[in-house]
Amino acid sequence: MSQTERLYRLKSWFDTGQCLTRQHVLDELAISAATLKRDLAHLRDRMNAPIVFDRERGGYVINFGPRGEPKGPGTKMIVSQSRNLWLFARLARAGY
């Protein structure tokens, strides 16, 4: 599976509001922990996705919903909101 396909699947899972545990993603995508780390870093750093680790739920979540509503506590809310908007606009322009 290519990186583009993995990023699209991660984005799709995040859009449903799921909390993605590390093991779930590793099993579903059949990738290594290092690949997951690189993919999450790509989403955060290059696509500015506001991905955070939710300790209470034990997994990764996007801190804002598709309409920009906050999903819970997080740092730098306005920055995260604008990054989320930019991420989804970029994905829409790319045809996802």
Side-chain angles (χ1 to χ4, degrees):
M1 178 180 299
S2 72
Q3 183 184 32
T4 303
E5 291 172 305
R6 290 192 313 269
L7 295 175
Y8 180 76
R9 288 196 58 193
L10 285 168
K11 181 219 172 283
S12 298
W13 289 334
F14 282 127
D15 283 348
T16 65
Q18 291 185 70
C19 177
L20 303 179
T21 64
R22 182 174 177 254
Q23 195 58 50
H24 170 76
V25 175
L26 296 177
D27 293 343
E28 287 291 319
L29 299 179
I31 58 175
S32 69
T35 300
L36 174 60
K37 186 176 179 179
R38 281 191 301 272
D39 286 350
L40 290 174
H42 181 88
L43 286 171
R44 278 191 199 114
D45 299 339
R46 295 187 185 167
M47 302 186 91
N48 296 316
I51 299 170
V52 295
F53 186 80
D54 186 336
R55 289 182 187 206
E56 292 176 9
R57 295 169 62 190
Y60 297 97
V61 295
I62 284 192
N63 219 27
F64 294 92
R67 295 188 184 121
E69 69 278 2
K71 289 185 170 183
T75 59
K76 300 182 182 177
M77 296 281 249
I78 193 71
V79 172
S80 296
Q81 274 183 314
S82 46
R83 286 180 177 175
N84 195 35
L85 176 64
W86 183 84
L87 163 70
F88 291 113
R90 185 171 176 176
L91 288 173
R93 283 192 306 269
Y96 288 103

